[in-house]
Amino acid sequence: MKYSAASLLKQALGGQRKWPPFVAPTILKPHYDIVIVGAGGHGLATAHYLAANHGVDDVLVLDSGWIGGGNTARNTTILRSDYLLPASFALKNFALELWAQLSQDLNFNLMYSPRGYIDLAHSDGELEHFMLRANAMRLAGADVDMLNRRQISEQVPGIDLGLDARYPISGALYQPAGGVVRHDAVAWGFARSASSRGIHIQQNCAVDGFDIQSNRVVGVATPQGQISADKVFISAASATAPLARLAGLRLPMEPINVQAFVTEPIKPVLDSVVNYNAGLCYVSQSDKGELVLGGATDGYLSQARRGSFARIEDTLARALQIFPFLSQLRLMRHWSGTADIPMDGNAIVGATPVDGLFVNCGWGYAGFKATPAVGWSMAQYLASGELPGLLQPFALERFASGALIDDAGIGPYPWRH
Amino acid sequence: MLLIPCPHCGERDESEFDYGGRALALPALDASGDEWHQALHLGNDSEDCVDEYWYHAGGCECWIRLRRSLSNHAFVEPGSSTGVID
Amino acid sequence: MQSRRLENGGLIDRDARIYFTFNGRLLEGHGGDSLASALLANGVNPVARSIKYHRPRGILSAGLEEPNALVSLTLPNGVTVPNLKATELRLQNGMAAHSQNCWPSVKLDLGELLQVGSGLLSAGFYYKTFMWPPKAWHRVYEKLIRRIAGQGRIGTRPDPRSYDRRNAWCDLLVVGAGPAGLGAALAAADSGKSVLLLEQDALLGGSTLWDQQQIEGLPAARWRQLVLRSLATYQNVRIQCNTLAFGHYDHGRVMALESHADGVDAISWRIRCRRLLLACGASERPLVFPGNDRPGIMLAAAVRQYIHRYAVAPGRRAMLAIGDTQEREATRLALRKAGIEIAGELSDSEIISDTCGRRHLRRVICAGHKDGRRVIDCDLLCVSAGWNPNAQLAAQMGAELRFERGVNAQIPPARHGIAFSSGACRGVGSMEACSRDGELQARRALAELDGVVPDDTALPAIDTVAPAPGYHDGRAAAFVDLQNDVTRADLELAVREGYDHVELAKRYTTLGMGTDQGKTSWSNAILEISRITGNDAADTGHTTFRPPYSPVSLGALVGAERGARMTPMRRTPFQQVFEQAGCVFQTSGDWLYSRYFPLAGESMQDAIQREVLAVRNAVGCVDMSTLGKVEVRGRDALEFLQRLYCNNLDKLQPGKLRYALMLREDGILFDDGTVTQLGAKHYLVTMTTANATAVWRWMNKLLQLHWPGLDVQLTSVSDHWASLALAGPQARPLLQALEPDFDCAREAFPFASVRTGMLGQGIPCRVFSVSFSGELSYEINVPAGHAATLFTRVMEAGASYGIMPYGLEALDLLRIEKGHLSIGTEIDGRTTPADLGLARMVSSRKHFIGSSLLQRPRLQDDARLQLVGLRARDGHSAIPVAAQLCAQALQAGVEQPSLGRLTTAIDSPTLQQPIALALLQNGHQRLDEILWAVSPLAQQSTEVVVTAPCFVDPDGSRVHA
């Protein structure tokens, strides 16, 4: 059923009784052309674009839990593409182009809000770095500007630009197309669209093995039985490495806990997304009114999905540097997710040494913003067999060959990214 | 906040330490690029307990090797998967 | 004035009259009142409006679980603190509270009109519309929704309140001072172990403050008195009120928030305990029925608390809808004591099918009675569908909650990790049983600490006598989450649409996501979802419990480390004496750096120009103290350094030094510095400021963990030595003027060597002839305490040579003119030595850290970005800062690929023309090529010539002058 003000009205008059499920219940078939392991944003987006762009609908998406229940449900919803390295920028910028029309494409209001992303610099040197990024982005056709201190204070009323702050702000990079989107809606929107096009989505069905013959994957094993497939695509964030192990592969990445938190909801006080760079802190305000904040990872290996409160304190200290008045607010809830971070801090996408087995992982805490671009590109790859240019840099082989994509220049230390 | 059992200083707060990652053994300096690639990049064995390095910056300034569960952060006896250091 | 205040009784201080305002109206209360009890005492109604439908709301509870009565406080300086629960605020003189999210007033709120469209505003409606026209969500709809959403309001004025962060440690942390907590604390007191008892309320005692049961043969209040008296005699027991333990973290870390402390508005406590005794009590569960949100519908135990503790009658004519017989009896007694007429009681065979009363409850309509429909006129409805254990602190650390059918609630295990749950928070019923449970659990915890076998006396059973939930059906909306206005119909819709997993239902409907965190809604939601799906409640599960237990002040979490005090600022030993010289400083990482030294009236640009020219033409001095410095000694010192650095050091001799490059294990350039040989087995290495700590740790890691067989000792001397570099053609005569006790003549003290000795007037020193600026240069290291003296003497002795102090800015210009590398610009964590033109420094005769992986094909290929210099082709056009390198000039609307990027661009004072350094694809093969430095930001393109990255004295003759 199409979503619209008209259908909303009609259904309201009928007591809401005729709304269909957003994902059709399915009975598993013994075989699919493509099995996608992981019903998070990336996996579901891939499913949607397989059907929408390529007419490929003999696809099954499996998840060990509930739809979008991994990092898609836990992130801070920020969209931007201001990354230094061309490979990182290109994919994320393509995503921004897709985000702009995605609610309409999916007929699901994702609450896409291009309210502007402001990346603060704390020294002239840092400012110059941002200008480098901005110039690269402009050359590639993206809209980006630098803001001086006066312009920052106009965009962000109430921001503390005092020179007696610990790391005074010298200026900022500004990406107007950056912003936020409602994370849950993204998973639901892609799921609903894929399902409406005939793709099967099965929750609470874990994959516990792979059927590999002569170095080719021919199926997956689940508690609900064996399912054969021509292609298997694992897109399961930090669960990808253990799954890949089952297929005999080791992936060069580690799981690190990352936390985010919200304040109690208040009337609008912040209209853009602001990122503080002397020790990380990013903050935006949700449409419900909560301030949503996040910062650096917890800095050590973990899969516990809970972390140290010290990290919350560090992030908050920085939030209060830019918005001292936040001290009047209260922390309402904090949560964690597991960021899978590879050895150069950038994603691993594409083929594996096992024929027919593909992975998409290693997005760490930067994957949500790339969702539609990854889905689009992987759908193209799975449907046509040709690796799209946007995905080429993210190949697994790059660690052996030295073609690293390390945006922050940190090195093979996942817990520092 | 983890309480880290430094063998020299006793249980100390996480804030006193710097993390050194999974305890990877460095190959010999003249080992092949492939050996180095395997050792440096492919140490993740997806086990629950990992051996890892911590540096006690705010104490003995020594590098220590500990074993910890990734699912519940409990420090365990080296070589074990369950013996909790209490 | 207080129309509902009872004449006698209560734990309030009637002599203390407190005056406060609510929505501008002056009201009176007493000491010991909460804002909620004072509002009830004054008959204030309604207190608030709900967030979505703006329905009038009153006070449901007497504690942190309150979903309705949210207020804002206005502080004397005009700062507003929003979203406070009237039930959690201690009444204070001058308190100015007001309702939120209603206009023009809480009594008459235009937002009520939203109820007209309530059919359209069902759960998730916003996902189904607002999609056309495409940009309208952000430009129109979102703006409107944001204004309507959100609870209270804050301004951007500075917060005048004071905060702090403190630490505590104890053997046993007891959370909650109700029957279980007091029983536990008393049992633990004798052990001599350190016990910390935290209570979030202002008074100790928990339910003993308002319920009369017997504990150990005594009335609860009396028992409480005796226990507190006894506890006060123990030195090892510390008790803190007004302190909420809100989060349970790894390894015994508990976070707590204290309010109303002396002299500080709020304190966050970081507590480390060895064992945790949770006695957090339970929260009463409301009934879900049509029209269950009106002011006057209150939790039964809250009614009893308002009557017994606060001496307030919350109504005049009451009805009871309470399943449990003992609770019903206790409530009846309380109502009678308060002189409240009992209009009726819901019988077990009845349901509530509707309520009436626009601004306040007037009437309850029941169905299923043997006489048919029953209508009861009342202004107070006391409801209770049972108790939910407050198991959050156990669940936060992963305790699995088990749905217990008998109590229709999620029960934690008696023990999980170091947490022992006791009393009502694990489902134990009577006060007597709770206190016994607390005592037994405490003994078990203590036994563990002593390493003895715990007493295996059986713990009290959990109370499984809970009323069966009725299903109260009717046409009006039945609210499951009062704060977020989530109705039963919303849950039915969520399940119908496939959001039937409890996490999906939560997110789709926003149930439990308000500031009350679903304390009064989650258990009912689970029961409703189970009913709708037909699943067993045990299978429905629950969402993840996350801290904090109740919202906590951000100010208190950051404490006093605000503004400049967030992290320590490091200063060099020259700080004071530079200040006196008029230095302008800047923050760079941890450090406060000298930036430039302006003369009177000079602009920054002029000062920096002058400083650079002084160095090139006369002599300047600059602070180099922040560099890392490590002494390396031992039989295997050279072997260690050979493994660490990529260049060959075997030609080094005592008294000599080399510029050296250190790679990461993966072959990428990590740091640059110098290696100086001081003695046979004695070296000194320097590291960049930014990497000083990282390299120190790295060196230790290699020796301690990977090469323990090497005989090497490391000593960090970074902070021991102050370092001032003299640079310029006059550097040598100036050095001589400082009267060193060694020969500084050109042949005696050549470039790349070190001398140790004394400067005149007894200043020990080590002097390195090394240059970052490219001029003749001596880095004079003196023990840090001599810094000021050294600088003063240098300035005095240097006056006749034209000495000028210079800072970071000038230093940067000088090194750019020479093409020397800097961290963050050329050494950016992605470049190799070959990229930067230093391939010759990578030894092929030895193996070192990174040598193997450096051979990876993509680290060797020519297409990589390589360091080059750039000059403006016409010799004078400015090269735009942060430009990209392209084949063509900038053209509007034309995208072109980038061939590389600048690392720096300056107007060279020495050469009097613009120059730049850049990383260019295959740059080493492109000397003399013409390209464009393009800056879309500046709308500027400059034609540039690719050169070698060294503009001044490429032969390096000056350092040997």
Side-chain angles (χ1 to χ4, degrees):
Chain A
M1 183 187 302
K2 182 159 194 268
Y3 286 165
S4 66
S7 66
L8 199 57
L9 182 58
K10 181 166 168 215
Q11 288 294 323
L13 294 172
Q16 315 275 13
R17 276 179 233 293
K18 297 235 179 66
W19 287 112
F22 79 110
V23 167
T26 60
I27 299 186
L28 292 181
K29 301 190 307 173
H31 171 87
Y32 292 87
D33 286 351
I34 301 175
V35 168
I36 299 177
V37 183
H42 289 199
L44 291 168
T46 304
H48 158 79
Y49 286 116
L50 275 170
N53 288 358
H54 304 279
V56 174
D57 60 8
D58 189 19
V59 178
L60 170 66
V61 186
L62 290 171
D63 200 288
S64 61
W66 42 283
I67 283 182
N71 290 350
T72 306
R74 295 160 199 265
N75 60 72
T76 50
T77 79
I78 295 173
L79 308 180
R80 64 184 179 100
S81 67
D82 65 325
Y83 285 76
L84 176 67
L85 301 179
S88 307
F89 161 77
L91 193 62
K92 285 163 176 152
N93 204 55
F94 178 48
L96 278 183
E97 293 170 22
L98 292 173
W99 283 119
Q101 268 293 122
L102 199 52
S103 293
Q104 289 69 36
D105 289 345
L106 298 179
N107 179 231
F108 201 106
N109 183 18
L110 306 181
M111 300 162 74
Y112 164 70
S113 179
R115 52 180 69 171
Y117 180 79
I118 296 176
D119 214 340
L120 298 172
H122 300 272
S123 70
D124 286 352
E126 231 174 65
L127 207 51
E128 218 175 291
H129 272 271
F130 282 149
M131 289 168 70
L132 263 177
R133 252 193 245 176
N135 275 328
M137 292 168 70
R138 283 268 202 107
L139 270 184
D143 180 15
V144 64
D145 254 310
M146 298 303 293
L147 300 180
N148 60 33
R149 289 159 50 84
R150 183 186 49 79
Q151 289 165 322
I152 294 173
S153 71
E154 282 164 15
Q155 283 271 9
V156 191
I159 191 169
D160 183 3
L161 296 175
L163 294 171
D164 54 352
R166 180 60 183 86
Y167 302 102
I169 293 159
S170 51
L173 179 152
Y174 173 56
Q175 183 170 32
V180 295
V181 75
R182 179 123 184 88
H183 51 348
D184 292 319
V186 172
W188 301 341
F190 275 122
R192 175 169 166 265
S193 173
S195 177
S196 74
R197 296 169 196 268
I199 290 184
H200 287 188
I201 300 174
Q202 187 80 326
Q203 300 175 79
N204 303 306
C205 183
V207 167
D208 47 37
F210 296 91
D211 191 0
I212 297 175
Q213 294 168 21
S214 307
N215 199 46
R216 163 162 279 283
V217 70
V218 298
V220 300
T222 78
Q224 296 180 33
Q226 298 278 113
I227 300 167
S228 72
D230 300 334
K231 291 181 180 161
V232 176
F233 171 45
I234 309 174
S235 178
S238 63
T240 308
L243 283 166
R245 280 304 270 139
L246 292 176
L249 296 173
R250 278 207 194 196
L251 295 176
M253 60 187 201
E254 299 283 16
I256 317 280
N257 195 59
V258 68
Q259 301 190 63
F261 49 102
V262 287
T263 67
E264 295 181 312
I266 48 172
K267 297 295 183 198
V269 76
L270 175 64
D271 288 335
S272 32
V273 181
V274 179
N275 190 44
Y276 177 100
N277 279 298
L280 200 53
C281 170
Y282 30 93
V283 53
S284 65
Q285 187 169 19
S286 76
D287 288 335
K288 291 212 315 271
E290 303 122 335
L291 286 168
V292 183
L293 297 101
T297 70
D298 278 44
Y300 49 86
L301 265 57
S302 169
Q303 288 194 295
R305 283 185 166 165
R306 66 164 189 272
S308 159
F309 196 70
R311 178 56 72 214
I312 307 277
E313 290 170 344
D314 288 344
T315 309
L316 269 177
R318 278 136 185 94
L320 261 58
Q321 288 277 312
I322 34 178
F323 300 118
F325 59 84
L326 290 188
S327 58
Q328 300 156 50
L329 282 186
R330 299 201 289 189
L331 171 69
M332 191 162 76
R333 183 179 163 97
H334 69 80
W335 66 90
S336 293
T338 308
D340 45 334
I341 303 183
M343 292 294 164
D344 62 359
N346 227 319
I348 298 171
V349 190
T352 68
V354 177
D355 288 335
L357 184 64
F358 304 85
V359 290
N360 167 54
C361 58
W363 287 95
Y365 53 106
F368 179 67
K369 59 180 74 71
T371 301
V374 173
W376 179 291
S377 306
M378 270 311 300
Q380 192 179 333
Y381 188 22
L382 291 169
S384 71
E386 281 172 36
L387 184 61
L390 285 178
L391 293 186
Q392 276 166 18
F394 298 96
L396 177 57
E397 300 85 73
R398 70 179 188 269
F399 299 96
S401 72
L404 312 170
I405 1 170
D406 190 344
D407 282 295
I410 288 173
Y413 318 113
W415 60 93
R416 293 194 201 151
H417 281 268
Chain B
M1 269 308 218
L2 302 182
L3 199 56
I4 297 178
C6 175
H8 311 126
C9 309
E11 289 179 326
R12 304 298 303 179
D13 197 276
E14 179 192 323
S15 57
E16 294 184 8
F17 294 80
D18 191 43
Y19 189 62
R22 192 181 288 265
L24 304 173
L26 295 186
L29 291 177
D30 60 356
S32 70
D34 190 60
E35 263 185 79
W36 270 93
H37 164 59
Q38 298 280 334
L40 190 65
H41 295 145
L42 300 175
N44 181 351
D45 54 11
S46 296
E47 295 288 323
D48 179 54
C49 287
V50 291
D51 292 318
E52 53 186 19
Y53 295 135
W54 291 87
Y55 175 69
H56 197 181
C60 55
E61 294 201 340
C62 289
W63 279 95
I64 58 180
R65 180 190 174 116
L66 295 171
R67 189 167 172 78
R68 183 173 57 93
S69 157
L70 295 190
S71 59
N72 68 16
H73 298 164
F75 285 96
V76 299
E77 291 299 334
S80 87
S81 58
T82 49
V84 177
I85 296 180
D86 202 1
Chain C
M1 198 186 194
Q2 302 175 53
S3 56
R4 302 295 181 89
R5 182 77 67 183
L6 301 175
E7 278 176 21
N8 300 301
L11 300 173
I12 52 170
D13 180 359
R14 290 176 190 270
D15 294 330
R17 287 180 190 278
I18 297 182
Y19 293 96
F20 66 104
T21 64
F22 186 66
N23 290 330
R25 190 173 141 215
L26 184 67
L27 299 168
E28 183 189 84
H30 291 298
D33 260 333
S34 66
L35 178 62
S37 62
L39 290 174
L40 286 170
N42 285 276
V44 171
N45 181 72
V47 170
R49 291 278 176 162
S50 70
I51 184 78
K52 194 172 170 189
Y53 299 125
H54 289 250
R55 289 173 65 87
R57 292 286 169 80
I59 295 162
L60 179 78
S61 74
L64 294 175
E65 65 271 33
E66 178 60 37
N68 287 334
L70 297 186
V71 303
S72 295
L73 287 189
T74 306
L75 302 183
N77 80 335
V79 164
T80 320
V81 185
N83 302 339
L84 297 165
K85 302 173 178 76
T87 51
E88 69 178 329
L89 287 171
R90 301 282 123 222
L91 195 68
Q92 282 171 339
N93 245 322
M95 185 176 261
H98 49 92
S99 308
Q100 306 183 145
N101 201 30
C102 51
W103 188 85
S105 74
V106 70
K107 279 191 154 61
L108 179 66
D109 178 17
L110 284 184
E112 238 183 297
L113 293 172
L114 285 165
Q115 285 179 66
V116 170
S118 60
L120 277 172
L121 301 181
S122 56
F125 77 94
Y126 32 77
Y127 298 122
K128 295 171 172 149
T129 181
F130 299 132
M131 289 176 269
W132 289 101
K135 297 203 160 87
W137 167 257
H138 173 56
R139 293 199 180 143
V140 178
Y141 305 125
E142 183 183 48
K143 286 189 164 51
L144 195 59
I145 286 186
R146 288 185 71 200
R147 277 217 287 269
I148 299 173
Q151 293 274 10
R153 192 181 298 278
I154 60 169
T156 57
R157 257 189 264 200
D159 181 355
R161 293 176 299 171
S162 62
Y163 303 103
D164 199 10
R165 291 199 289 206
R166 298 191 186 162
N167 300 284
W169 186 91
C170 60
D171 288 313
L172 182 70
L173 178 65
V174 181
V175 177
L182 290 177
L186 193 60
D190 256 331
S191 68
K193 301 240 178 328
S194 57
V195 178
L196 179 56
L197 172 63
L198 299 180
E199 169 55 52
Q200 57 95 3
D201 202 335
L203 296 179
L204 301 162
S207 54
T208 66
L209 294 171
W210 61 84
D211 261 347
Q212 283 109 10
Q213 293 180 28
Q214 298 262 322
I215 307 180
E216 293 173 24
L218 296 165
R222 179 85 186 115
W223 177 85
R224 173 184 80 239
Q225 261 184 333
L226 292 174
V227 171
L228 289 176
R229 206 176 289 163
S230 174
L231 283 175
T233 66
Y234 286 92
Q235 299 280 21
N236 56 315
V237 177
R238 211 165 85 238
I239 303 178
Q240 239 174 263
C241 285
N242 292 314
T243 306
L244 169 73
F246 64 80
H248 179 199
Y249 301 89
D250 282 308
H251 305 162
R253 165 58 69 91
V254 174
M255 292 296 303
L257 191 97
E258 181 182 2
S259 43
H260 307 102
D262 281 325
V264 183
D265 290 286
I267 302 170
S268 65
W269 282 91
R270 298 139 141 183
I271 302 166
R272 185 78 75 180
C273 65
R274 294 173 65 206
R275 291 295 181 274
L276 179 60
L277 194 307
L278 298 172
C280 312
S283 298
E284 200 161 30
R285 189 182 318 129
L287 251 56
V288 178
F289 54 87
N292 63 333
D293 70 323
R294 298 191 198 281
I297 299 175
M298 298 178 67
L299 291 169
V303 171
R304 298 199 299 277
Q305 185 171 168
Y306 285 118
I307 292 171
H308 289 305
R309 176 182 176 174
Y310 295 107
V312 169
R316 297 216 160 87
R317 206 175 132 80
M319 177 177 172
L320 283 72
I322 301 169
D324 181 71
T325 41
Q326 279 173 336
E327 283 237 18
R328 213 183 300 164
E329 176 59 22
T331 309
R332 268 187 225 119
L333 286 171
L335 292 169
R336 278 189 211 120
K337 173 181 160 181
I340 299 173
E341 188 188 338
I342 298 178
E345 297 186 17
L346 189 71
S347 68
D348 291 340
S349 60
E350 277 183 300
I351 61 160
I352 300 176
S353 58
D354 204 351
T355 63
C356 302
R358 241 191 100 235
R359 289 227 195 82
H360 194 92
L361 179 71
R362 275 189 299 111
R363 183 175 298 158
V364 176
I365 295 146
C366 312
H369 193 260
K370 56 178 170 21
D371 297 329
R373 193 169 166 271
R374 208 162 53 113
V375 174
I376 299 178
D377 289 337
C378 56
D379 68 350
L380 173 64
L381 174 59
C382 310
V383 298
S384 176
W387 290 89
N388 298 324
N390 294 333
Q392 286 86 336
L393 287 178
Q396 286 167 9
M397 274 298 288
E400 297 256 321
L401 303 189
R402 182 188 88 252
F403 183 80
E404 182 64 42
R405 211 171 308 280
V407 292
N408 267 347
Q410 311 264 353
I411 310 283
R415 194 262 165 85
H416 177 82
I418 59 155
F420 293 75
S421 290
S422 69
C425 80
R426 74 167 189 93
V428 175
S430 69
M431 283 189 202
E432 169 91 39
C434 286
S435 75
R436 179 97 180 106
D437 199 39
E439 180 197 338
L440 289 172
Q441 287 283 58
R443 292 202 195 290
R444 289 182 179 192
L446 294 166
E448 269 182 27
L449 289 178
D450 285 331
V452 302
V453 175
D455 180 356
D456 63 357
T457 308
L459 297 174
I462 63 176
D463 180 5
T464 57
V465 183
Y471 176 56
H472 305 263
D473 201 9
R475 282 187 40 216
F479 289 87
V480 183
D481 180 332
L482 287 161
Q483 183 165 128
N484 279 0
D485 273 346
V486 179
T487 64
R488 175 184 282 151
D490 289 326
L491 285 177
E492 285 166 355
L493 178 62
V495 172
R496 187 175 305 129
E497 290 198 80
Y499 302 98
D500 51 359
H501 187 286
V502 77
E503 284 278 3
L504 289 171
K506 162 190 154 189
R507 287 145 189 279
Y508 190 64
T509 64
T510 75
L511 185 139
M513 295 178 79
T515 66
D516 62 329
Q517 298 150 319
K519 290 183 183 56
T520 54
S521 53
W522 260 116
S523 56
N524 280 329
I526 290 166
L527 294 172
E528 290 285 331
I529 292 171
S530 308
R531 178 190 59 82
I532 300 166
T533 57
N535 290 338
D536 201 287
D539 297 328
T540 299
H542 59 85
T543 59
T544 314
F545 286 90
R546 293 287 189 185
Y549 174 80
S550 195
V552 289
S553 151
L554 297 190
L557 297 179
V558 174
E561 277 99 280
R562 308 277 301 271
R565 284 150 65 190
M566 179 170 71
T567 58
M569 178 84 82
R570 299 184 70 182
R571 296 172 163 81
T572 79
F574 292 102
Q575 174 75 21
Q576 265 184 312
V577 78
F578 279 4
E579 276 173 28
Q580 287 157 17
C583 178
V584 171
F585 293 91
Q586 83 169 57
T587 310
S588 181
D590 289 345
W591 291 94
L592 195 61
Y593 260 100
S594 45
R595 192 176 189 187
Y596 60 99
F597 293 78
L599 300 175
E602 220 181 8
S603 72
M604 180 169 90
Q605 291 309 321
D606 290 343
I608 296 166
Q609 277 263 349
R610 171 182 53 74
E611 289 173 14
V612 171
L613 292 174
V615 172
R616 293 278 181 234
N617 300 323
V619 62
C621 61
V622 67
D623 182 0
M624 303 292 277
S625 308
T626 60
L627 295 180
K629 309 178 252 307
V630 175
E631 299 212 3
V632 182
R633 283 176 228 254
R635 195 184 60 231
D636 299 316
L638 178 61
E639 170 63 23
F640 173 61
L641 295 173
Q642 289 282 51
R643 296 184 189 185
L644 198 55
Y645 292 95
C646 70
N647 48 309
N648 209 330
L649 300 168
D650 62 4
K651 296 287 200 308
L652 209 51
Q653 293 165 37
K656 294 289 186 200
L657 63 92
R658 288 276 177 280
Y659 176 58
L661 298 179
M662 190 184 294
L663 309 187
R664 294 193 314 228
E665 308 100 305
D666 65 349
I668 298 294
L669 186 51
F670 173 22
D671 200 51
D672 69 347
T674 58
V675 177
T676 306
Q677 183 162 9
L678 295 172
K681 304 281 178 200
H682 183 196
Y683 299 81
L684 178 86
V685 305
T686 65
M687 305 91 82
T688 62
T689 302
N691 286 331
T693 307
V695 173
W696 167 246
R697 290 178 183 172
W698 173 234
M699 292 170 78
N700 276 284
K701 180 169 188 269
L702 289 170
L703 286 174
Q704 291 177 27
L705 295 175
H706 300 292
W707 305 325
L710 291 183
D711 175 47
V712 177
Q713 298 85 44
L714 302 176
T715 311
S716 168
V717 294
S718 298
D719 298 337
H720 300 196
W721 298 98
S723 172
L724 191 70
L726 309 180
Q730 301 296 321
R732 186 179 296 116
L734 177 49
L735 176 61
Q736 269 160 343
L738 297 175
E739 301 167 319
D741 62 359
F742 47 83
D743 189 350
C744 313
R746 185 173 178 273
E747 301 74 21
F749 188 6
F751 180 63
S753 45
V754 62
R755 294 290 176 266
T756 305
M758 304 284 271
L759 297 178
Q761 290 163 40
I763 304 179
C765 69
R766 235 183 222 160
V767 182
F768 302 82
S769 56
V770 63
S771 180
F772 195 44
S773 59
E775 297 302 315
L776 177 63
S777 173
Y778 300 98
E779 274 183 27
I780 305 175
N781 280 216
V782 298
H786 290 282
T789 312
L790 175 65
F791 180 70
T792 308
R793 294 200 54 214
V794 162
M795 293 302 289
E796 279 168 10
S800 56
Y801 299 104
I803 182 73
M804 302 228 175
Y806 63 104
L808 202 63
E809 297 281 350
L811 186 63
D812 203 34
L813 293 186
L814 290 162
R815 72 101 189 160
I816 292 167
E817 290 177 342
K818 282 297 291 182
H820 285 163
L821 309 177
S822 184
I823 294 282
T825 45
E826 297 79 32
I827 305 178
D828 64 359
R830 283 180 291 271
T831 49
T832 65
D835 294 338
L836 303 179
L838 297 174
R840 70 184 187 284
M841 284 186 70
V842 180
S843 170
S844 53
R845 293 193 282 120
K846 64 166 185 176
H847 296 281
F848 48 87
I849 292 283
S851 59
S852 207
L853 288 175
L854 180 59
Q855 301 310 313
R856 285 181 290 174
R858 297 295 295 275
L859 291 184
Q860 297 286 326
D861 73 38
D862 284 331
R864 288 179 66 79
L865 295 173
Q866 296 171 338
L867 185 66
V868 296
L870 302 170
R871 276 187 207 256
R873 192 182 186 192
D874 63 8
H876 59 83
S877 294
I879 303 175
V881 153
Q884 296 282 324
L885 285 172
C886 297
Q888 315 278 355
L890 193 61
Q891 289 161 63
V894 176
E895 288 176 29
Q896 51 174 328
S898 163
L899 304 173
R901 61 175 183 271
L902 269 57
T903 63
T904 73
I906 60 167
D907 197 4
S908 162
T910 308
L911 303 165
Q912 294 290 301
Q913 63 165 290
I915 58 171
L917 293 173
L919 290 167
L920 172 64
Q921 277 170 24
N922 199 10
H924 296 156
Q925 307 297 319
R926 299 171 87 150
L927 294 188
D928 301 324
E929 240 183 77
I930 312 288
L931 292 171
W932 287 85
V934 157
S935 171
L937 284 175
Q939 285 295 296
Q940 210 184 324
S941 310
T942 300
E943 239 185 334
V944 291
V945 183
V946 177
T947 69
C950 178
F951 304 92
V952 170
D953 183 32
D955 303 325
S957 55
R958 288 184 179 219
V959 293
H960 297 285

